[in-house]
Amino acid sequence: MSTAFLQGLERNRANHRPLTPLTLLDRAAETFPDRVAVIHGDLRRPYSELRERARRLASALKAAGIGRGDTVSALLLNTPPMLEAHYGPAMLGAVLNAINTRLDAAGIAFILDHAEAKVLLVDAELFPLAKAALARASAAPRVIVWRDPTVPETHGPAEGAEDYEDFLATGDPDFVGPGPKDEWDAIALNYTSGTTGDPKGVVYHHRGAMLLAASNVIHAGMAGVDGAPPVYLWTLPMFHCNGWCFPWTISARAGAHVCLRAVRAGPIFDLIAEHRVTHMCGAPIVMSTLLQAPEADKKPLPGRVEFLTAAAPPPEAVLAEMSDAGFNVTHVYGLTEVYGPAVVNEWRPEWNALPGDEQARLKARQGVRYALLDALDVLDPETMAPVPADGETLGEVCFAGNVVMKGYFKNPAATEKALKGGWFWSGDLAVKHPDGYVQLKDRSKDIIISGGENISSIEVEEAIFRHPAVSLCAVVAMPDDKWGETPCAFVELRDGASADEAAIIAHCRAELAAFKAPRRVVFGELPKTSTGKVQKFVLRGQAREAAG
């Protein structure tokens, strides 16, 4: 074996530097300094100014004592300072902790303490919430409030806080921070939902953020063969997995960020029409918001809009409605621990010739790994061996590669468990089809075991979704004296539609084995997380109460 290639070929600054998404902003600002980067109300901010403001933020934070490894927390909406926060702290080697704005004061206090926040950036509208959280917390971060000029009515008093624009004005627009020493350095800290206890802090590194951002360009159709940059509407919260890394992705293509404080149908349609939006992301609830909007709020789309959605696969009827409305829906799958989406339902052109029901069956699958995810498989949790690719054998979805988290912050036991055997174990149960596409069947805790038979709640949900009156549904286990557990369905109906319990059960019995049909159907609005996911742990409690 020749050793010639191993000699005298060393890493140096000319041939090896840490991968970091910070370089994406630099390139955009250098190549397209006058191109619009940020749109918010009447604001049109070019890339040169976005970088200057991010540098000012980094410089001001440094003067405030923030350095490598320090945490900068942000309780901000999808607005310009949240974009700046995705760059400024990282320029110092500091870590951004974007906090879920829908949490209560106790939840935010836990995060501020656990993250050891040194600075808290907060929207003026959310200052009362931040103040209540700080009253409960041990941490005493420096509080800096941003007042949104588009909503001056939210600018209440902010005693003890500094003004964001004044803080930025103290920074140097030409400041160049040290950035990461190593691409393994932490760039972000995101907390899981904590539905079964205190949330866990998921640590992202610069390498993973860069690679997931680049993967989004590929899988969200942002290659831009015609040279036109993407126009991205922020319907996905930036606190959710750092907005699936799109704050960095859009800089890779020097596209425009269209900011949005709250997801409402009217403003969404207005912004799409005004700015010729090309891309957006969101949970299925965002699709429902658009499709069920009053006719007065709807506007014709100026062009086809690419829409990436996660969580449950959209029903066939919803996909058809979205297509008719001008949206091309791509189904993705991932978790906080893998920077957001890392699996995509890669659609094959030949599938377009298939009947509608067969296309819907294929679209219900989560799919294959992102281009820059090294490995994806379905493994037996006991033997750690891959399950057969037969579309039937259940196993746990596992990920491996550079877009897997560093681990859980200050939680080595949970980290070791999650990353055992060289894989990240998702807790999601799935099958692997002969063509290699993965399809989720349930969370490990959501499988319903009825009379010794396993029932996939997702399979039952898919059947219920096919009922024309159903807008949203979720299925959980309900205790049963005879069977141990039986399915209990919670259903939201479409506006103006009607159905009763007997009709839903009869519909399911026509589509599923009888033992899989729900024994109970509860109608009403489903509890949801801030990102639109149904809170099944709440429904399980309601099902237990209903069972007596």
Side-chain angles (χ1 to χ4, degrees):
M1 176 180 178
S2 173
T3 60
F5 288 107
L6 306 179
Q7 297 172 354
L9 301 175
E10 302 299 329
R11 296 181 183 181
N12 57 60
R13 285 285 292 170
N15 62 23
H16 183 83
R17 297 190 183 192
L19 283 176
T20 172
L22 295 176
T23 60
L24 300 176
L25 178 59
D26 283 333
R27 179 184 182 275
E30 292 160 5
T31 310
F32 303 102
D34 299 323
R35 182 178 286 179
V36 172
V38 183
I39 297 171
H40 184 55
D42 294 331
L43 172 70
R44 304 292 184 271
R45 180 166 288 151
Y47 266 97
S48 58
E49 189 176 345
L50 173 59
R51 183 171 66 168
E52 284 179 3
R53 288 175 64 86
R55 286 177 166 180
R56 283 185 182 275
L57 178 57
S59 174
L61 288 171
K62 181 181 180 182
I66 299 301
R68 186 173 306 282
D70 287 334
T71 302
V72 175
S73 294
L75 191 65
L76 295 167
L77 301 171
N78 286 354
T79 50
M82 186 61 125
L83 292 169
E84 292 155 12
H86 275 80
Y87 293 95
M91 291 176 177
L92 296 173
V95 181
L96 173 63
N97 164 225
I99 299 175
N100 186 332
T101 59
R102 309 286 177 79
L103 293 176
D104 60 14
I108 294 171
F110 171 85
I111 289 173
L112 292 174
D113 284 342
H114 191 266
E116 302 175 25
K118 299 291 195 300
V119 169
L120 174 61
L121 309 177
V122 59
D123 189 285
E125 184 179 354
L126 301 175
F127 181 75
L129 175 61
K131 185 177 179 180
L134 289 166
R136 292 169 174 258
S138 299
R142 188 169 176 174
V143 181
I144 301 166
V145 173
W146 183 69
R147 293 171 171 82
D148 190 337
T150 70
V151 283
E153 66 274 13
T154 65
H155 300 177
E159 185 179 350
E162 301 170 61
D163 180 79
Y164 181 81
E165 295 298 333
D166 291 344
F167 183 73
L168 233 63
T170 68
D172 179 0
D174 297 317
F175 175 79
V176 178
K181 285 185 178 179
D182 186 277
E183 58 192 21
W184 181 248
D185 285 357
I187 190 172
L189 173 63
N190 295 302
Y191 282 80
T192 60
S193 58
T195 57
T196 56
D198 286 335
K200 295 191 288 289
V202 176
V203 182
Y204 291 175
H205 48 71
H206 283 253
R207 180 180 179 86
M210 177 63 161
L211 292 175
L212 203 286
S215 280
N216 284 336
V217 174
I218 299 168
H219 298 295
M222 290 185 177
V225 292
D226 59 356
V231 180
Y232 183 88
L233 178 59
W234 274 106
T235 45
L236 176 77
M238 279 190 240
F239 63 69
H240 184 52
C241 309
N242 294 105
W244 294 355
C245 295
F246 276 92
W248 302 307
T249 293
I250 302 305
S251 289
R253 289 282 295 113
H257 297 269
V258 182
C259 295
L260 183 68
R261 288 181 67 88
V263 175
R264 296 193 303 273
I268 290 174
F269 279 108
D270 289 343
L271 291 170
I272 291 174
E274 180 181 359
H275 302 297
R276 303 188 68 84
V277 166
T278 61
H279 292 78
M280 53 196 291
C281 300
I285 187 65
V286 178
M287 289 190 284
S288 299
T289 299
L290 295 172
L291 294 176
Q292 298 179 26
E295 288 302 317
D297 286 344
K298 294 181 179 179
K299 286 184 172 60
L301 304 188
R304 201 80 177 159
V305 177
E306 297 294 328
F307 188 103
L308 269 67
T309 190
E316 180 182 359
V318 170
L319 289 170
E321 287 183 68
M322 286 290 286
S323 180
D324 291 343
F327 297 92
N328 181 52
V329 178
T330 298
H331 188 211
V332 295
Y333 157 65
L335 303 93
T336 303
E337 289 87 343
V338 293
Y339 296 69
V343 178
V344 60
N345 188 323
E346 192 87 46
W347 194 252
R348 300 182 180 181
E350 59 267 28
W351 293 345
N352 291 322
L354 296 173
D357 58 346
E358 180 64 9
Q359 288 191 35
R361 183 186 69 79
L362 292 170
K363 285 185 177 182
R365 306 187 303 175
Q366 277 57 44
V368 294
R369 61 186 173 93
Y370 261 33
L372 298 179
L373 172 68
D374 293 72
L376 171 76
D377 212 336
V378 181
L379 306 183
D380 184 310
E382 298 298 324
T383 66
M384 297 192 183
V387 302
D390 57 10
E392 296 181 3
T393 306
L394 276 180
E396 188 167 339
V397 181
C398 292
F399 301 76
N402 296 292
V403 295
V404 172
M405 65 173 179
K406 290 183 67 150
Y408 296 116
F409 188 51
K410 297 191 293 191
N411 197 337
T415 299
E416 183 179 2
K417 180 180 178 182
L419 302 180
K420 66 180 180 181
W423 292 92
F424 165 62
W425 296 77
S426 69
D428 288 330
L429 301 181
V431 298
K432 184 168 58 177
H433 290 278
D435 60 4
Y437 281 57
V438 166
Q439 183 171 6
L440 294 190
K441 291 300 180 180
D442 236 318
R443 290 291 292 174
S444 56
K445 62 178 178 289
D446 288 338
I447 281 285
I448 301 165
I449 304 174
S450 184
E453 297 284 352
N454 286 351
I455 300 174
S456 163
S457 66
I458 292 178
E459 182 182 7
V460 183
E461 289 163 1
E462 288 174 347
I464 296 172
F465 265 130
R466 289 192 284 272
H467 191 287
V470 172
S471 171
L472 187 64
C473 74
V475 173
V476 299
M478 182 173 68
D480 185 272
D481 291 339
K482 180 178 181 180
W483 301 106
E485 294 177 335
T486 56
C488 177
F490 292 82
V491 173
E492 283 185 23
L493 296 177
R494 291 173 176 267
D495 291 342
S498 62
D500 59 15
E501 182 177 59
I504 298 296
I505 293 174
H507 169 80
C508 289
R509 285 178 172 269
E511 299 217 357
L512 302 167
F515 76 92
K516 296 181 179 180
R519 299 298 180 90
R520 179 78 184 273
V521 180
V522 180
F523 295 92
E525 185 176 357
L526 274 60
K528 304 174 188 70
T529 68
S530 56
T531 56
K533 295 181 181 177
V534 174
Q535 294 177 307
K536 281 196 171 183
F537 74 100
V538 175
L539 298 181
R540 281 193 287 271
Q542 294 178 11
R544 286 192 295 269
E545 292 177 5

